[in-house]
C-alpha cells in the first residue's frame, strides 16, 4: 500500500470514539487526526498530544495590555495634559492609580482577548475565506472521524477498527 493512504473510521458516539482512540493507541498505530462536531473532553490526552501553550501567551498578552494601559494613563493624565479632576493631584500616577483601575483592567482584557483570537487563527491556520479541510461533512453534525495512516497494514487495521465499534471504515487517498 502507498503511504499516502489513510483510513477514515466513523463513529456515532463520543464515548465509543474515546475507547477506540485508546485501543488504536494501545495497538501502536499513529492517529493523524480526529474530527468531531464538538469538543470531546480528554481526547487530547487520549491521543497523546502535548499540552497547549496558549494560556502562557494569553498571560503575556494580558501583561502587554496592562503595560500599555499604564503608559496610556500616565501619558494622557499626568505627562501630556494634567487636569485637576475631583480634587485629585495630577502630578503622580501612583496617587491616581485607583482611578485608573478600570482602564487597566479593560485594556488587559482587550489585549489578551484580541491577540488570543489572532494567535489561535494563525496557529490553527484558519483565515477568512479558507476552504474547510473536513474530510466528511457528517463530522460537523453528528459523527466522529478518526484518521489513521496506512503503512502496509490495511487489513489488520481495518479488523482492529471493526472491533472498536466503527459504523463505517473507508480507505482514501490523502491529498
Amino acid at each position: 500500500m502507498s503511504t499516502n493512504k489513510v483510513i477514515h473510521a466513523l463513529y456515532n458516539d463520543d464515548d465509543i470514539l474515546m475507547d477506540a482512540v485508546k485501543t488504536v493507541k494501545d495497538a501502536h498505530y499513529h492517529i493523524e487526526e480526529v474530527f468531531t462536531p464538538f469538543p470531546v473532553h480528554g481526547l487530547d490526552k487520549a491521543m497523546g498530544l502535548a499540552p497547549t501553550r496558549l494560556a502562557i501567551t494569553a498571560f503575556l498578552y494580558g501583561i502587554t495590555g496592562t503595560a500599555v494601559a499604564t503608559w496610556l494613563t500616565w501619558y494622557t493624565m499626568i505627562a501630556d495634559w494634567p487636569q485637576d479632576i475631583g480634587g485629585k493631584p495630577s502630578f503622580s500616577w501612583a496617587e491616581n492609580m485607583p482611578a485608573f483601575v478600570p482602564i487597566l483592567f479593560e485594556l488587559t482584557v482587550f489585549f489578551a482577548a484580541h491577540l488570543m483570537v489572532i494567535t489561535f487563527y494563525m496557529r490553527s491556520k484558519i483565515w477568512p475565506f479558507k476552504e474547510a479541510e473536513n474530510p466528511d461533512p457528517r463530522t460537523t453534525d453528528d459523527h466522529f472521524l478518526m484518521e489513521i495512516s496506512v503503512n502496509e497494514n490495511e487489513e489488520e487495521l481495518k479488523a482492529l477498527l471493526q472491533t472498536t465499534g466503527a459504523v463505517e471504515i473507508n480507505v482514501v487517498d490523502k491529498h
Side-chain angles (χ1 to χ4, degrees):
M1 291 293 135
S2 175
T3 59
N4 62 347
K5 286 191 176 187
V6 292
I7 290 183
H8 288 168
L10 282 148
Y11 298 88
N12 56 8
D13 185 69
D14 58 332
D15 291 328
I16 296 172
L17 171 74
M18 284 293 290
D19 292 338
V21 166
K22 291 173 186 171
T23 302
V24 169
K25 290 301 280 185
D26 287 344
H28 304 293
Y29 289 106
H30 176 67
I31 299 172
E32 293 287 331
E33 188 66 71
V34 176
F35 297 88
T36 64
F38 54 83
V40 177
H41 180 70
L43 185 60
D44 52 343
K45 289 181 183 170
M47 288 181 62
L49 299 177
T52 180
R53 294 183 302 263
L54 285 176
I56 297 168
T57 59
F59 178 74
L60 294 175
Y61 294 155
I63 293 294
T64 303
T66 304
V68 168
T70 302
W71 175 83
L72 179 70
T73 54
W74 170 81
Y75 181 74
T76 57
M77 299 300 291
I78 308 300
D80 186 45
W81 195 348
Q83 299 179 30
D84 183 4
I85 300 173
K88 293 181 179 137
S90 58
F91 54 86
S92 168
W93 185 88
E95 291 180 18
N96 286 318
M97 197 275 292
F100 300 146
V101 167
I103 298 165
L104 294 170
F105 173 77
E106 291 298 333
L107 281 180
T108 299
V109 172
F110 179 86
F111 270 68
H114 286 79
L115 291 175
M116 279 304 298
V117 168
I118 293 167
T119 300
F120 175 75
Y121 284 150
M122 289 174 58
R123 181 70 179 102
S124 301
K125 297 177 184 162
I126 299 174
W127 49 84
F129 311 110
K130 181 178 187 276
E131 283 191 39
E133 297 176 7
N134 197 349
D136 192 318
R138 293 177 288 178
T139 60
T140 62
D141 187 24
D142 62 350
H143 279 72
F144 304 84
L145 185 141
M146 183 181 354
E147 184 177 272
I148 307 163
S149 55
V150 176
N151 297 320
E152 306 292 335
N153 55 359
E154 183 177 328
E155 294 307 318
E156 62 191 52
L157 189 51
K158 278 181 168 179
L160 175 67
L161 292 171
Q162 286 290 345
T163 66
T164 63
V167 294
E168 186 177 320
I169 299 171
N170 301 316
V171 179
V172 296
D173 285 325
K174 189 168 182 178
H175 304 297

